[in-house]
Short mmCIF file of all heavy atoms in Angstrom, two decimals:
data_model
loop_
_atom_site.label_atom_id
_atom_site.label_comp_id
_atom_site.label_asym_id
_atom_site.label_seq_id
_atom_site.Cartn_x
_atom_site.Cartn_y
_atom_site.Cartn_z
N ALA A 228 27.40 -40.65 -28.18
CA ALA A 228 27.80 -42.02 -28.66
C ALA A 228 28.24 -42.89 -27.44
O ALA A 228 28.03 -43.98 -27.34
CB ALA A 228 28.84 -41.90 -29.72
N ALA A 229 28.99 -42.23 -26.58
CA ALA A 229 29.59 -42.88 -25.45
C ALA A 229 28.48 -43.35 -24.41
O ALA A 229 28.74 -44.31 -23.64
CB ALA A 229 30.59 -41.99 -24.72
N ARG A 230 27.41 -42.65 -24.38
CA ARG A 230 26.32 -43.04 -23.54
C ARG A 230 25.46 -44.18 -24.01
O ARG A 230 24.71 -44.86 -23.22
CB ARG A 230 25.48 -41.79 -23.27
CG ARG A 230 24.24 -41.93 -22.34
CD ARG A 230 24.79 -42.12 -20.90
NE ARG A 230 23.67 -42.34 -19.96
CZ ARG A 230 23.14 -43.49 -19.64
NH1 ARG A 230 23.55 -44.50 -20.28
NH2 ARG A 230 22.06 -43.61 -18.80
N LYS A 231 25.48 -44.50 -25.26
CA LYS A 231 24.54 -45.48 -25.86
C LYS A 231 24.79 -46.86 -25.38
O LYS A 231 23.74 -47.63 -25.08
CB LYS A 231 24.70 -45.44 -27.40
CG LYS A 231 24.09 -44.26 -28.01
CD LYS A 231 24.20 -44.21 -29.63
CE LYS A 231 23.57 -42.94 -30.13
NZ LYS A 231 23.58 -42.98 -31.62
N PRO A 232 26.01 -47.38 -25.13
CA PRO A 232 26.09 -48.71 -24.55
C PRO A 232 25.49 -48.87 -23.20
O PRO A 232 24.90 -49.89 -22.89
CB PRO A 232 27.65 -48.86 -24.52
CG PRO A 232 28.20 -48.10 -25.55
CD PRO A 232 27.26 -46.87 -25.56
N GLY A 233 25.56 -47.82 -22.36
CA GLY A 233 24.99 -47.91 -21.03
C GLY A 233 23.54 -47.97 -21.12
O GLY A 233 22.83 -48.66 -20.38
N LEU A 234 22.95 -47.14 -21.94
CA LEU A 234 21.48 -47.23 -22.18
C LEU A 234 20.97 -48.55 -22.74
O LEU A 234 19.92 -49.07 -22.36
CB LEU A 234 21.01 -46.06 -23.06
CG LEU A 234 19.51 -45.75 -23.22
CD1 LEU A 234 18.85 -45.76 -21.85
CD2 LEU A 234 19.31 -44.47 -23.96
N ALA A 235 21.81 -49.04 -23.63
CA ALA A 235 21.42 -50.38 -24.25
C ALA A 235 21.50 -51.43 -23.12
O ALA A 235 20.63 -52.43 -23.08
CB ALA A 235 22.45 -50.78 -25.31
N PHE A 236 22.46 -51.38 -22.17
CA PHE A 236 22.48 -52.36 -21.05
C PHE A 236 21.27 -52.18 -20.22
O PHE A 236 20.62 -53.23 -19.78
CB PHE A 236 23.74 -52.03 -20.16
CG PHE A 236 23.69 -52.78 -18.92
CD1 PHE A 236 23.80 -54.20 -18.92
CD2 PHE A 236 23.61 -52.17 -17.71
CE1 PHE A 236 23.85 -54.94 -17.73
CE2 PHE A 236 23.55 -52.92 -16.53
CZ PHE A 236 23.78 -54.23 -16.53
N SER A 237 20.82 -50.96 -19.98
CA SER A 237 19.56 -50.80 -19.18
C SER A 237 18.33 -51.42 -19.86
O SER A 237 17.55 -52.10 -19.23
CB SER A 237 19.24 -49.34 -18.92
OG SER A 237 20.23 -48.69 -18.12
N LEU A 238 18.27 -51.29 -21.15
CA LEU A 238 17.10 -51.75 -21.90
C LEU A 238 17.17 -53.29 -22.16
O LEU A 238 16.18 -53.99 -22.27
CB LEU A 238 17.02 -51.08 -23.29
CG LEU A 238 16.69 -49.54 -23.19
CD1 LEU A 238 16.89 -48.92 -24.57
CD2 LEU A 238 15.22 -49.36 -22.72
N GLY A 239 18.42 -53.79 -22.30
CA GLY A 239 18.53 -55.19 -22.59
C GLY A 239 19.10 -56.13 -21.52
O GLY A 239 18.70 -57.29 -21.48
N GLY A 240 19.87 -55.61 -20.56
CA GLY A 240 20.47 -56.40 -19.64
C GLY A 240 20.02 -56.20 -18.16
O GLY A 240 20.37 -56.97 -17.24
N MET A 241 19.27 -55.14 -17.88
CA MET A 241 18.82 -54.91 -16.51
C MET A 241 17.53 -55.62 -16.27
O MET A 241 16.43 -55.04 -16.19
CB MET A 241 18.68 -53.38 -16.29
CG MET A 241 19.97 -52.66 -16.12
SD MET A 241 20.75 -52.97 -14.57
CE MET A 241 19.69 -52.01 -13.44
N GLY A 242 17.61 -56.95 -16.00
CA GLY A 242 16.46 -57.74 -15.80
C GLY A 242 16.71 -59.18 -16.32
O GLY A 242 17.80 -59.51 -16.72
N SER A 243 15.65 -59.89 -16.31
CA SER A 243 15.68 -61.28 -16.83
C SER A 243 15.21 -61.29 -18.26
O SER A 243 14.94 -60.25 -18.87
CB SER A 243 14.80 -62.18 -15.96
OG SER A 243 13.41 -61.82 -16.19
N ALA A 244 15.23 -62.48 -18.88
CA ALA A 244 14.76 -62.53 -20.23
C ALA A 244 13.34 -62.16 -20.42
O ALA A 244 12.91 -61.71 -21.45
CB ALA A 244 15.04 -63.99 -20.77
N ARG A 245 12.54 -62.29 -19.39
CA ARG A 245 11.16 -61.92 -19.43
C ARG A 245 10.80 -60.64 -18.83
O ARG A 245 9.79 -59.98 -19.18
CB ARG A 245 10.30 -63.04 -18.86
CG ARG A 245 10.27 -64.34 -19.62
CD ARG A 245 9.35 -65.39 -18.93
NE ARG A 245 9.76 -65.60 -17.56
CZ ARG A 245 9.03 -66.27 -16.66
NH1 ARG A 245 7.76 -66.67 -16.98
NH2 ARG A 245 9.43 -66.44 -15.38
N THR A 246 11.51 -60.16 -17.86
CA THR A 246 11.17 -58.98 -17.09
C THR A 246 12.24 -57.98 -17.13
O THR A 246 13.37 -58.24 -16.67
CB THR A 246 10.88 -59.42 -15.55
OG1 THR A 246 9.92 -60.44 -15.54
CG2 THR A 246 10.41 -58.19 -14.76
N ASN A 247 11.93 -56.80 -17.59
CA ASN A 247 12.84 -55.64 -17.64
C ASN A 247 11.95 -54.40 -17.39
O ASN A 247 11.29 -53.89 -18.31
CB ASN A 247 13.58 -55.51 -18.89
CG ASN A 247 14.65 -54.48 -18.85
OD1 ASN A 247 14.43 -53.34 -18.52
ND2 ASN A 247 15.91 -54.77 -19.18
N PHE A 248 12.07 -53.83 -16.18
CA PHE A 248 11.23 -52.71 -15.85
C PHE A 248 11.65 -51.36 -16.59
O PHE A 248 10.93 -50.57 -16.86
CB PHE A 248 11.29 -52.46 -14.37
CG PHE A 248 10.72 -53.59 -13.59
CD1 PHE A 248 11.55 -54.29 -12.72
CD2 PHE A 248 9.38 -53.93 -13.72
CE1 PHE A 248 11.02 -55.39 -12.04
CE2 PHE A 248 8.90 -55.04 -12.94
CZ PHE A 248 9.68 -55.71 -12.14
N TYR A 249 12.97 -51.34 -17.01
CA TYR A 249 13.43 -50.24 -17.71
C TYR A 249 12.88 -50.18 -19.17
O TYR A 249 12.51 -49.12 -19.65
CB TYR A 249 14.99 -50.20 -17.76
CG TYR A 249 15.57 -50.09 -16.43
CD1 TYR A 249 15.89 -51.17 -15.63
CD2 TYR A 249 15.84 -48.78 -15.90
CE1 TYR A 249 16.39 -51.05 -14.33
CE2 TYR A 249 16.42 -48.61 -14.56
CZ TYR A 249 16.61 -49.77 -13.88
OH TYR A 249 17.12 -49.59 -12.57
N THR A 250 12.90 -51.32 -19.82
CA THR A 250 12.29 -51.43 -21.13
C THR A 250 10.85 -51.00 -21.13
O THR A 250 10.39 -50.21 -21.95
CB THR A 250 12.44 -52.82 -21.71
OG1 THR A 250 13.83 -53.18 -21.74
CG2 THR A 250 11.82 -52.97 -23.11
N ALA A 251 10.16 -51.45 -20.13
CA ALA A 251 8.73 -51.10 -20.02
C ALA A 251 8.50 -49.60 -19.68
O ALA A 251 7.60 -49.00 -20.29
CB ALA A 251 8.08 -51.91 -18.85
N ALA A 252 9.33 -49.05 -18.92
CA ALA A 252 9.29 -47.58 -18.57
C ALA A 252 9.59 -46.77 -19.87
O ALA A 252 8.76 -45.76 -20.14
CB ALA A 252 10.23 -47.18 -17.52
N TYR A 253 10.58 -47.05 -20.59
CA TYR A 253 10.82 -46.28 -21.83
C TYR A 253 9.70 -46.48 -22.77
O TYR A 253 9.33 -45.54 -23.58
CB TYR A 253 12.14 -46.73 -22.46
CG TYR A 253 13.35 -46.10 -21.82
CD1 TYR A 253 14.17 -46.82 -20.93
CD2 TYR A 253 13.72 -44.76 -22.03
CE1 TYR A 253 15.37 -46.21 -20.31
CE2 TYR A 253 14.78 -44.15 -21.50
CZ TYR A 253 15.59 -44.85 -20.67
OH TYR A 253 16.69 -44.28 -19.99
N SER A 254 9.13 -47.66 -22.89
CA SER A 254 8.06 -48.00 -23.79
C SER A 254 6.83 -47.10 -23.46
O SER A 254 6.14 -46.51 -24.40
CB SER A 254 7.63 -49.42 -23.75
OG SER A 254 8.67 -50.23 -24.09
N ARG A 255 6.50 -46.96 -22.17
CA ARG A 255 5.41 -46.08 -21.83
C ARG A 255 5.59 -44.64 -22.14
O ARG A 255 4.66 -43.85 -22.12
CB ARG A 255 5.09 -46.27 -20.32
CG ARG A 255 4.43 -47.63 -20.01
CD ARG A 255 3.94 -47.66 -18.54
NE ARG A 255 5.03 -47.60 -17.56
CZ ARG A 255 5.65 -48.70 -17.16
NH1 ARG A 255 5.25 -49.91 -17.48
NH2 ARG A 255 6.58 -48.51 -16.24
N GLN A 256 6.86 -44.21 -22.21
CA GLN A 256 7.21 -42.80 -22.57
C GLN A 256 7.38 -42.58 -24.02
O GLN A 256 7.82 -41.43 -24.44
CB GLN A 256 8.40 -42.41 -21.77
CG GLN A 256 8.24 -42.41 -20.29
CD GLN A 256 9.45 -41.97 -19.54
OE1 GLN A 256 9.65 -40.80 -19.04
NE2 GLN A 256 10.42 -42.91 -19.43
N GLY A 257 7.03 -43.48 -24.85
CA GLY A 257 6.98 -43.21 -26.34
C GLY A 257 8.12 -43.89 -27.12
O GLY A 257 8.33 -43.63 -28.24
N TRP A 258 8.92 -44.80 -26.42
CA TRP A 258 10.01 -45.41 -27.08
C TRP A 258 9.89 -46.92 -27.25
O TRP A 258 10.88 -47.65 -27.26
CB TRP A 258 11.25 -45.13 -26.22
CG TRP A 258 11.63 -43.73 -25.99
CD1 TRP A 258 11.23 -42.92 -24.92
CD2 TRP A 258 12.26 -42.76 -26.86
NE1 TRP A 258 11.67 -41.67 -25.02
CE2 TRP A 258 12.28 -41.54 -26.20
CE3 TRP A 258 12.88 -42.88 -28.11
CZ2 TRP A 258 12.86 -40.37 -26.78
CZ3 TRP A 258 13.37 -41.77 -28.67
CH2 TRP A 258 13.45 -40.52 -28.07
N ALA A 259 8.63 -47.35 -27.44
CA ALA A 259 8.40 -48.74 -27.37
C ALA A 259 9.15 -49.58 -28.46
O ALA A 259 9.73 -50.59 -28.21
CB ALA A 259 6.88 -49.06 -27.51
N ASP A 260 9.17 -49.02 -29.71
CA ASP A 260 9.79 -49.77 -30.85
C ASP A 260 11.25 -49.86 -30.62
O ASP A 260 11.87 -50.94 -30.80
CB ASP A 260 9.44 -49.02 -32.19
CG ASP A 260 7.99 -49.13 -32.53
OD1 ASP A 260 7.28 -50.08 -31.99
OD2 ASP A 260 7.54 -48.37 -33.41
N VAL A 261 11.94 -48.76 -30.29
CA VAL A 261 13.37 -48.71 -30.08
C VAL A 261 13.71 -49.59 -28.93
O VAL A 261 14.66 -50.45 -28.98
CB VAL A 261 13.88 -47.31 -29.81
CG1 VAL A 261 15.37 -47.34 -29.53
CG2 VAL A 261 13.67 -46.43 -31.05
#
Side-chain angles (χ1 to χ4, degrees):
R230 182 68 182 85
K231 289 182 179 182
L234 187 47
F236 171 67
S237 293
L238 294 169
M241 285 288 286
S243 67
R245 291 184 301 168
T246 305
N247 186 310
F248 298 114
Y249 295 90
T250 301
Y253 279 105
S254 297
R255 286 191 294 271
Q256 294 180 99
W258 304 95
D260 292 342
V261 175

